[in-house]
Amino acid sequence: MIVLAAGFGLLIGALLGLVGGGGGILAVPALVYGLGLPLAEAVPASLVVIGLASAVAVAPRARREVDWRLAAIIGAAGIPTSVAGGIVHQQLDGRWLMLVFAALMVTAGLRMLRDTDETGGVCELPGGGVAWRHCLPRAVATGLLVGFLTGLLGVGGGFLLVPALVVALGLRTPNAVATSLVVIVINSIAALLPYLTAASAAGTAGGLEWWIIGAFAAAAILASLPAGRLAHRLSARTLSRGFATLVLLVAAGVTAQTVVALATT
């Protein structure tokens, strides 16, 4: 199990380093179907892994590529909705959540198959600087949505953040990837709080499979740094299409598994 967890961790960390997201959307299916964790444990485990790996992956990009103002605005907006998403998650049937998860994966995969036009967006002024009048509402809305999904489904939200930062806000892909990693760290920490609070109140905080989480997280961290360096040598189009294909395949598997589970109960 430790070897299997490490293998999945390498894949998740590589995705975070390459495209600034996508690790979370695959981490939960890997933990549930690959390692056999129940969804109630897989979601907080995913948040731990994604948060740690993202923090490491952003380190070499922090000075040159992160837009810290946008990261702070989007991250702050997502904190309350991350907590709310975690609370809502505990009230819902995990099987239906997995179907929602699969639908979200299909949406993200199809979106990433489309070519991205990086000609600037509402945040970019012609002479340089940021057009906050138009940029701020979109940045806040992005943070609210991604934060809620992070808490509800245990995903970092990078698969939504990167396209939103590029298309809606006008960041270049390298800046969008780096900025999304900072937001993922913020959202993961906020979204983890309801799970830890509930586990502590129930006296089950030690019930998480920490040895699996540790192996998963360590492998993800080890893979994220070299993957980040490799990302600079590959085209954004190649990365996004390869990742989109993987996400669609996993979505098909998650849907099939969940439908069978619902049909047999």
Side-chain angles (χ1 to χ4, degrees):
M1 287 291 287
I2 291 179
V3 173
L4 190 58
F8 284 124
L10 290 173
L11 173 62
I12 302 307
L15 287 172
L16 283 168
L18 286 170
V19 296
I25 206 170
L26 296 178
V28 172
L31 289 164
V32 172
Y33 299 115
L35 300 176
L37 268 65
L39 186 64
E41 294 182 18
V43 170
S46 171
L47 293 170
V48 172
V49 172
I50 298 308
L52 289 174
S54 297
V56 173
V58 78
R61 306 175 179 186
R63 293 184 62 184
R64 297 183 178 180
E65 296 179 2
V66 175
D67 188 318
W68 288 101
R69 288 178 296 180
L70 280 178
I73 292 169
I74 295 172
I79 289 175
T81 53
S82 294
V83 174
I87 294 172
V88 171
H89 170 91
Q90 297 172 42
Q91 312 302 319
L92 300 178
D93 187 326
R95 295 168 299 177
W96 291 105
L97 279 177
M98 290 304 291
L99 284 180
V100 173
F101 199 102
L104 199 60
M105 293 173 78
V106 171
T107 302
L110 293 176
R111 176 63 190 83
M112 294 189 77
L113 284 174
R114 296 170 54 189
D115 291 330
T116 300
D117 180 18
E118 298 186 45
T119 57
V122 296
C123 289
E124 186 176 317
L125 292 171
V130 179
W132 287 113
R133 179 180 177 184
H134 300 290
C135 180
L136 186 59
R138 294 195 185 192
V140 171
T142 299
L144 292 171
L145 173 61
V146 172
F148 184 75
L149 292 175
T150 297
L152 181 67
L153 300 173
V155 297
F159 66 99
L160 293 174
L161 273 171
V162 175
L165 291 171
V166 172
V167 177
L169 304 184
L171 271 65
R172 308 301 175 184
T173 295
N175 303 98
V177 168
T179 303
S180 76
L181 290 170
V182 176
V183 177
I184 289 169
V185 174
I186 297 171
N187 283 344
S188 296
I189 294 172
L192 190 60
L193 293 178
Y195 297 98
L196 294 179
T197 301
S200 178
T204 58
L208 291 177
E209 299 287 352
W210 289 109
W211 58 278
I212 293 180
I213 297 172
F216 204 121
I221 289 170
L222 288 175
S224 63
L225 286 174
R229 290 191 288 268
L230 177 62
H232 290 88
R233 303 178 184 178
L234 301 175
S235 70
R237 181 178 181 183
T238 299
L239 289 173
S240 63
R241 291 194 171 185
F243 171 65
T245 301
L246 178 61
V247 165
L248 291 173
L249 290 173
V250 174
V254 169
T255 302
Q257 290 267 9
T258 308
V259 169
V260 169
L262 288 169
T264 54
T265 56

